[in-house]
């Protein structure tokens, strides 16, 4: 097994370390890093971007000619990672001797590591692996970050040991949002703005999926939706239920109750054709 080590730091430093580890060619275009790998023991790509709100998105598309372990130091920013495996599988452990958990095709995972123990990723040889990570820093936050969202993340995905991992099947809507990231047609600043929106939607859906308090969970999502109602009125003949369901914001079973408790209004008068 080939053992690689990743010293964490700035986003550009991480990609330069990956370039050295995988012997690839690194390019930077409109703030997006693209690492092309073609060597005797690996081929494929690793691409990623760190947005102005400090959220990051990294995609791995690799075929390795030998088993590989990638040991990753803890990040100072104590990020939470949301993962989605589109093809193949990978395995994770906290430390070389820790319990191993596998992320398989069409599964999602959540990872938090605030301890001094490295996270270790294991890749099998001669198997095509495609997976993506969203990184959300939870410390050293600045004014550009969503403090309410960070609070929810810490509440849902932290434990006393400092090592948290969840692996399971995500909702269909979460999977669709991950696919949406792959098909963003715009380039440059516009692309990054759209990516930021989709990343935050994925994180909000993950919080909702792991939350037992549906009212508090959907309040920020509902607030976002109501800000865009006027624009939807211009272009859509759908009613509110259809819009919310199509956007994956909430089940129709929760909408009437949440709408009434949050806004103290009857839901029925608003559930009409928006374009009428």
């Amino acid at each position: 097994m080939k053992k690689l080590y990743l010293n964490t730091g700035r986003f550009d430093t991480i990609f330069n370390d990956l370039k050295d580890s995988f012997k690839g060619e690194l390019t930077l275009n409109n703030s997006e890093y693209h690492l092309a790998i073609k060597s005797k023991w690996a081929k494929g790509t690793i691409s990623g971007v760190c947005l102005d709100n400090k959220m990051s998105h990294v995609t791995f598309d690799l075929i390795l000619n030998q088993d590989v372990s990638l040991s990753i130091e803890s990040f100072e920013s104590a990020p939470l990672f949301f993962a989605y495996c589109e093809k193949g599988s990978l395995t994770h452990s906290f430390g070389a001797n820790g319990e191993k958990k596998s992320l398989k095709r069409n599964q999602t995972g959540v990872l938090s590591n605030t301890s001094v123990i490295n996270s270790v990723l294991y890749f099998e040889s001669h198997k095509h692996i495609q997976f993506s990570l969203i990184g959300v820093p939870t410390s050293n936050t600045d004014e550009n970050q969503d403090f309410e969202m960070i609070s929810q993340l810490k509440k849902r995905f932290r434990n006393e040991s400092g090592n948290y991992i969840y692996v399971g099947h995500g909702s269909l809507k979460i999977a669709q949002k991950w696919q949406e990231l792959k098909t963003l047609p715009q380039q440059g600043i516009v692309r990054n703005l759209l990516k930021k929106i989709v990343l935050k939607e994925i994180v909000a859906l993950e919080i909702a999926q792991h939350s037992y308090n549906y009212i508090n969970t959907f309040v920020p999502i509902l607030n976002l939706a109501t800000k865009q109602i006027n624009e939807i009125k211009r272009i859509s003949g759908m009613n509110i239920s259809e819009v919310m369901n199509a956007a994956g914001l909430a089940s129709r079973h929760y909408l009437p109750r949440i709408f009434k408790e949050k806004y103290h209004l009857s839901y029925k008068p608003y559930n009409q054709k928006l374009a009428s």
Side-chain angles (χ1 to χ4, degrees), residues 73-92:
E73 286 187 344
S74 297
F75 288 77
E76 290 186 5
S77 58
L80 272 160
F81 289 103
F82 296 88
Y84 174 68
C85 183
E86 184 176 355
K87 182 179 292 187
S89 66
L90 67 150
T91 301
H92 170 274

Side-chain angles (χ1 to χ4, degrees), residues 19 23 34-35 65 80 99 114 119 130 138 158 163-164 166 188 201 207 226 231 255-256 268 271 274:
K19 179 191 72 172
K23 308 301 180 184
H34 182 84
L35 178 62
N65 294 329
L80 272 160
E99 179 186 359
T114 58
S119 283
Q130 289 181 333
T138 59
R158 285 281 168 80
N163 299 328
Y164 174 93
Y166 164 85
E201 288 176 340
I207 294 173
T226 54
E231 179 64 19
L255 275 174
K268 187 174 180 180
N271 190 28
L274 294 178

Side-chain angles (χ1 to χ4, degrees), residues 45-136:
T45 61
I46 304 174
S47 57
V49 61
C50 185
L51 302 170
D52 56 11
N53 63 350
K54 307 305 180 183
M55 291 180 69
S56 59
H57 174 231
V58 181
T59 299
F60 295 77
D61 186 350
L62 297 170
I63 298 177
L64 302 168
N65 294 329
Q66 58 182 291
D67 292 345
V68 170
S69 68
L70 177 62
S71 183
I72 306 171
E73 286 187 344
S74 297
F75 288 77
E76 290 186 5
S77 58
L80 272 160
F81 289 103
F82 296 88
Y84 174 68
C85 183
E86 184 176 355
K87 182 179 292 187
S89 66
L90 67 150
T91 301
H92 170 274
S93 70
F94 291 108
N97 299 318
E99 179 186 359
K100 294 181 179 180
K101 287 194 175 183
S102 294
L103 183 68
K104 300 178 181 179
R105 182 178 180 183
N106 295 330
Q107 285 188 320
T108 60
V110 186
L111 172 67
S112 172
N113 183 10
T114 58
S115 72
V116 296
I117 301 174
N118 284 11
S119 283
V120 185
L121 299 180
Y122 302 89
F123 306 91
E124 293 184 79
S125 65
H126 300 93
K127 293 186 178 180
H128 190 184
I129 174 68
Q130 289 181 333
F131 75 99
S132 297
L133 293 171
I134 296 172
V136 185

Side-chain angles (χ1 to χ4, degrees), residues 227-236:
K227 289 180 182 180
Q228 301 184 28
I229 286 292
N230 288 335
E231 179 64 19
I232 296 174
K233 283 181 179 180
R234 293 195 311 107
I235 62 176
S236 175

Side-chain angles (χ1 to χ4, degrees), residues 80 82 110 136 138 146-158 164 203-221:
L80 272 160
F82 296 88
V110 186
V136 185
T138 59
D146 188 331
F147 292 100
E148 184 176 355
M149 182 184 73
I150 298 301
S151 177
Q152 287 282 342
L153 291 174
K154 289 181 178 180
K155 182 178 180 181
R156 305 298 174 195
F157 308 114
R158 285 281 168 80
Y164 174 93
V203 173
L205 288 168
E206 286 283 7
I207 294 173
Q209 179 170 277
H210 292 268
S211 174
Y212 296 101
N213 189 334
Y214 288 95
I215 296 296
N216 290 338
T217 299
F218 287 122
V219 162
I221 305 175

